[in-house]
Amino acid sequence: DTFATEDAIKIGRLHCVREGWDDALVSFMLSGGFSPSSKVSTIDAPSLVMWGRQDGILDGTEFANKFVETLPNASLRWIEECGHVPHLEQPSETANVISEFLWGEELQAVTAAAQNTKGDDSSSFPVGYVAAGASATAALLGIAANLN
């Protein structure tokens, strides 16, 4: 099953046609594959791990949990009816999950504490960045614009 449109599939595979992809893939596989960097455990900010429930490329029960176990302050949100590219397959749900995280009490408290420490009294969008695709980012910015 796929939850992506034909355009999303094309976009999701663009990296596979780039020069050097085959060599990079072989190198990646020979290295033992995916594992979070040792630097991940040093991130103490609230973190969101999103994963497509039906991801057939990186099994979420194994890999999403590696991130949650490695990040000291992480929460996991599953995107249902979604494979490997949530921002393309379920852009609205992905944007909603990101928005809930960014506007959630925990991140707001961390942001307020950081602003108080710096003497910054601005009430702008919370400090932080969530890695997401262009579709989810655009949808998220639309949500943020409507909230302000």
Side-chain angles (χ1 to χ4, degrees), residues 101-122:
F101 172 75
L102 290 175
W103 292 104
E105 290 181 21
E106 183 179 14
L107 191 59
Q108 290 293 313
V110 170
T111 301
Q115 288 172 343
N116 289 337
T117 301
K118 294 179 182 176
D120 180 359
D121 62 350
S122 69

Side-chain angles (χ1 to χ4, degrees), residues 8-132:
I9 291 169
K10 288 177 187 173
I11 291 168
R13 293 182 177 161
L14 281 176
H15 65 283
C16 298
V17 297
R18 293 191 49 106
E19 185 178 331
W21 168 253
D22 292 337
D23 292 336
L25 181 58
V26 169
S27 177
F28 173 74
M29 297 308 287
L30 291 174
S31 75
F34 174 80
S35 69
S37 164
S38 61
K39 294 181 181 180
V40 170
S41 63
T42 66
I43 300 169
D44 61 357
S47 303
L48 171 65
V49 176
M50 288 188 319
W51 217 275
R53 177 77 72 183
Q54 289 76 25
D55 188 338
I57 296 174
L58 292 174
D59 178 23
T61 55
E62 178 182 352
F63 296 108
N65 288 323
K66 280 186 182 181
F67 274 108
V68 173
E69 291 165 7
T70 305
L71 284 161
N73 196 7
S75 60
L76 172 62
R77 289 286 303 268
W78 293 102
I79 305 297
E80 300 298 335
E81 297 183 14
C82 185
H84 189 64
V85 285
H87 60 285
L88 298 176
E89 297 173 40
Q90 298 290 349
S92 295
E93 179 63 15
T94 298
N96 287 336
V97 168
I98 294 169
S99 180
E100 289 170 9
F101 172 75
L102 290 175
W103 292 104
E105 290 181 21
E106 183 179 14
L107 191 59
Q108 290 293 313
V110 170
T111 301
Q115 288 172 343
N116 289 337
T117 301
K118 294 179 182 176
D120 180 359
D121 62 350
S122 69
S123 59
S124 62
F125 199 71
V127 176
Y129 177 75
V130 176

